[in-house]
Amino acid sequence: MIMERYKKQIQLSQVGISGQEELEKAKVLIVGAGGLGCAALPYLVASGVGTVGIIDGDTVEMSNLHRQVLYSENDIGRYKVKAAKAHLQAMNTTVTIQDYAYFLSAENALALFASYDCIVDATDSIALRYLINDACVLTNKPFVYGSIYKFEGQVSVFNYKNGPTYRCLFDKNETKTPNCDALGVLGTTVGFIGMLQANEALKVILNIGDLLSGTLLIYDMLNHRQNKIQFTKNEQLVIDDAFYKAAHLKTRIHETTFDEARTKKTIFLDVREFDTQPVIKLSNSIQIPLSILEQKLDELNKNQHYTIFCQRGKRSLKAIEILRNNMFNHLANVTNGVASFKSHFKDEIHIY
Amino acid sequence: MIVVKYFGVIAEHTNSTEEQIGLSELSLPDCVAALMKKYSFEDVQFSIALNQNLIDKSSDIVLRANDELAFLPPFAGG
């Protein structure tokens, strides 16, 4: 029965019975069950990849249906991975489909990747791509990359046999490029790129053809312009446990009180807007409103310890996120902000 | 003349996917800086390829006739 089902691909000398056995043994994880995932998944499942994992914490929305073709109107509101699994399992009952109805995170990526042979990136976030990249390096898994900008798509295979990675192509995460939801996309564009990813994943498993390792393919669906860019491994960049931890596993924010902070060598950073009452002036305080903090980072010193406060302790957490993303690591947050300390330091806090 | 190719969001800034520019003995960093300024994409992250090979955009290389430069921003969608 297996022979009958797959005979048209077994017939290919590059596949054969041994190739089919490789597919059956293979475990492929698809990160993201959106447009790219919906295109790649049916072909991986139909070809008999033995175990297909799907991780996504999202639910199906009406505005997904034009491109996420595994879902039907009845699936709106369901977890994408559950709807996808039901559809895919009906296509092929002989393969194992594992569904993970949550988002990939720095905390769960390593353990999850360890139980797969090949990771397909079908996400819509650059930050997640850095996470996938680094987790693939640590767990020694090939990373099949695909991504879209309107009518253009990029495809590559990273970390294949210790080859170049996403960081060799785009060295640091400094972008705010919007995703498909923000930009708009045709279903056929994500479909085409997702299928190229499935094709690369099959080639990885079958060990055939020329992979896009060290090559970025850029395809323009509007005019069929196709470009291939070669890139090599950046040997200076070492992605190890310490790198992963610093890049992805942020430690908890140190919460402090005004009393405690006063005893430490720190500078108080007031991130409230300039016209906020009460005005607070301390000998060791500066004020940079949250709204302009990113533009004023050069006024701060990365080696200095800062105690951040705002009116209630919420904006200060946002300020800490901005500062951490810019490599400021000596930070504390005043819990509940000014509300917590204005009453008992009247002589030092000048209220105008 | 050199050929310059633009991709993704950068092609929207330049309003074209490809152009030829006449220049002589211009260094790569100067050329990149001039195009970034001309089309105001200073805020966009990108990598640079010269003749289909990725290179460090600060490399002190002098561009020569028929060179092909590509501006490659990362894509986010999926």
Side-chain angles (χ1 to χ4, degrees), chain B residues 38-74:
Chain B
K38 180 178 177 189
Y39 296 115
S40 340
F41 58 87
E42 290 99 333
D43 295 339
V44 180
Q45 181 191 357
F46 60 86
S47 295
I48 286 281
L50 179 62
N51 301 325
Q52 296 86 45
N53 286 283
L54 203 79
I55 51 162
D56 184 341
K57 57 191 163 194
S58 60
S59 306
D60 194 18
I61 292 172
V62 175
L63 296 173
R64 301 193 306 190
N66 302 319
D67 273 348
E68 184 185 298
L69 202 58
F71 285 80
L72 311 161

Side-chain angles (χ1 to χ4, degrees), chain A residues 293-310:
Chain A
L293 181 61
E294 276 185 299
Q295 289 95 62
K296 297 278 184 185
L297 291 173
D298 52 359
E299 292 180 13
L300 300 173
N301 175 355
K302 290 187 170 63
N303 299 317
Q304 171 67 49
H305 185 281
Y306 293 101
T307 300
I308 326 294
F309 70 91
C310 61

Side-chain angles (χ1 to χ4, degrees), chain A residues 49-282:
Chain A
V49 171
T51 303
V52 174
I54 321 166
I55 176 167
D56 197 323
D58 243 343
T59 54
V60 179
E61 291 174 29
M62 181 65 93
S63 65
N64 299 148
L65 298 182
H66 82 111
R67 68 185 187 284
Q68 300 179 16
V69 295
L70 280 180
Y71 312 125
S72 52
E73 291 163 13
N74 295 333
D75 292 321
I76 290 169
R78 288 178 80 188
Y79 276 113
K80 288 181 177 178
V81 294
K82 302 285 180 196
K85 181 179 177 174
H87 188 102
L88 294 164
Q89 199 73 78
M91 281 179 71
N92 191 343
T93 55
T94 69
V95 303
T96 303
I97 297 169
Q98 297 283 355
D99 59 299
Y100 309 96
Y102 47 83
F103 292 106
L104 188 79
S105 69
E107 288 76 16
N108 64 33
L110 296 177
L112 190 61
F113 286 15
S115 48
Y116 286 88
D117 307 315
C118 178
I119 312 300
V120 177
D121 154 41
T123 65
D124 60 359
S125 138
I126 288 181
L128 269 180
R129 292 193 167 96
Y130 284 100
L131 171 62
I132 293 171
N133 186 72
D134 300 343
C136 279
V137 172
L138 289 191
T139 56
N140 194 26
K141 308 292 175 184
F143 163 18
V144 181
Y145 162 74
S147 190
I148 308 292
Y149 184 86
K150 296 189 180 176
F151 292 96
E152 290 173 78
Q154 294 178 339
V155 187
S156 191
V157 178
F158 301 122
N159 197 48
Y160 181 72
K161 295 186 175 165
N162 203 25
T165 80
Y166 188 63
R167 288 187 188 274
C168 306
L169 184 59
F170 299 115
D171 58 353
K172 56 178 178 285
N173 185 6
E174 57 184 27
T175 185
K176 292 186 182 113
T177 306
N179 61 26
C180 290
D181 274 349
L183 286 170
V185 68
L186 274 183
T188 45
T189 307
V190 276
F192 180 74
I193 297 300
M195 215 173 300
L196 286 178
Q197 290 181 273
N199 186 58
E200 290 301 284
L202 292 177
K203 283 159 62 188
V204 167
I205 298 163
L206 294 167
N207 197 21
I208 59 170
D210 298 322
L211 290 170
L212 290 168
S213 172
T215 302
L216 174 69
L217 170 68
I218 312 168
Y219 198 95
D220 188 335
M221 298 293 284
L222 279 182
N223 50 33
H224 300 288
R225 196 170 63 132
Q226 181 177 322
N227 282 272
K228 282 198 225 170
I229 304 294
Q230 310 301 321
F231 59 101
T232 54
K233 187 158 176 158
N234 174 1
E235 300 290 353
Q236 260 89 62
L237 181 67
V238 177
I239 298 169
D240 56 13
D241 288 335
F243 180 94
Y244 184 87
K245 198 175 166 197
H248 305 291
L249 289 169
K250 295 200 169 150
T251 47
R252 278 176 49 200
I253 292 171
H254 179 65
E255 292 285 343
T256 188
T257 61
F258 188 73
D259 288 320
E260 184 187 64
R262 284 181 81 228
T263 66
K264 305 256 165 79
K265 202 165 171 262
T266 189
I267 289 178
F268 285 92
L269 174 59
D270 182 354
V271 294
R272 299 172 306 156
E273 297 303 310
F274 285 123
D275 53 2
T276 311
Q277 296 293 329
V279 172
I280 294 173
K281 282 187 180 165
L282 302 166

